[in-house]
Amino acid sequence: MTTKTLDSKGRLTLGPQYAGQLVIIDDSDSSQIVIRRAVALPVEEAWLFQNEKAQKLVAAGLRDAKAGEFVEGPDLDADLSAFDDE
């Protein structure tokens, strides 16, 4: 734990190791301020972090890919052969 003094404008520096980082400041309790490092992500991707089933499916897919386990892909030549007469 460290003691720091706010400057005349109410600013606090955390040090160069935190420079440029996004933080969440929780001052909902008047007796304490909690500063937590955070990451931002696009709104259209946030659903994944709110959906446990989707997270498990993505994690399983990544494990399979890392292990080189892939499903048989479509036979594009056979699919396109239907258009040979066209």
Side-chain angles (χ1 to χ4, degrees):
M1 190 169 296
T2 304
T3 301
K4 296 218 175 204
T5 302
L6 281 66
D7 70 9
S8 62
K9 294 184 179 182
R11 296 177 298 197
L12 171 71
T13 60
L14 300 177
Q17 69 270 33
Y18 298 104
Q21 294 189 30
L22 179 66
V23 296
I24 297 170
I25 300 172
D26 180 358
D27 59 355
S28 58
D29 181 342
S30 63
S31 68
Q32 66 179 349
I33 298 171
V34 178
I35 301 172
R36 297 172 51 204
R37 292 187 303 151
V39 295
L41 63 134
V43 170
E44 63 272 5
E45 295 175 17
W47 68 271
L48 180 60
F49 296 93
Q50 299 165 349
N51 185 321
E52 188 174 332
K53 181 178 180 181
Q55 286 181 34
K56 288 179 182 180
L57 290 170
V58 169
L62 291 172
R63 279 193 304 274
D64 290 348
K66 186 175 182 179
E69 298 174 9
F70 302 100
V71 297
E72 191 69 30
D75 185 346
L76 296 179
D77 290 332
D79 293 342
L80 293 174
S81 67
F83 298 102
D84 287 343
D85 297 333
E86 299 296 320

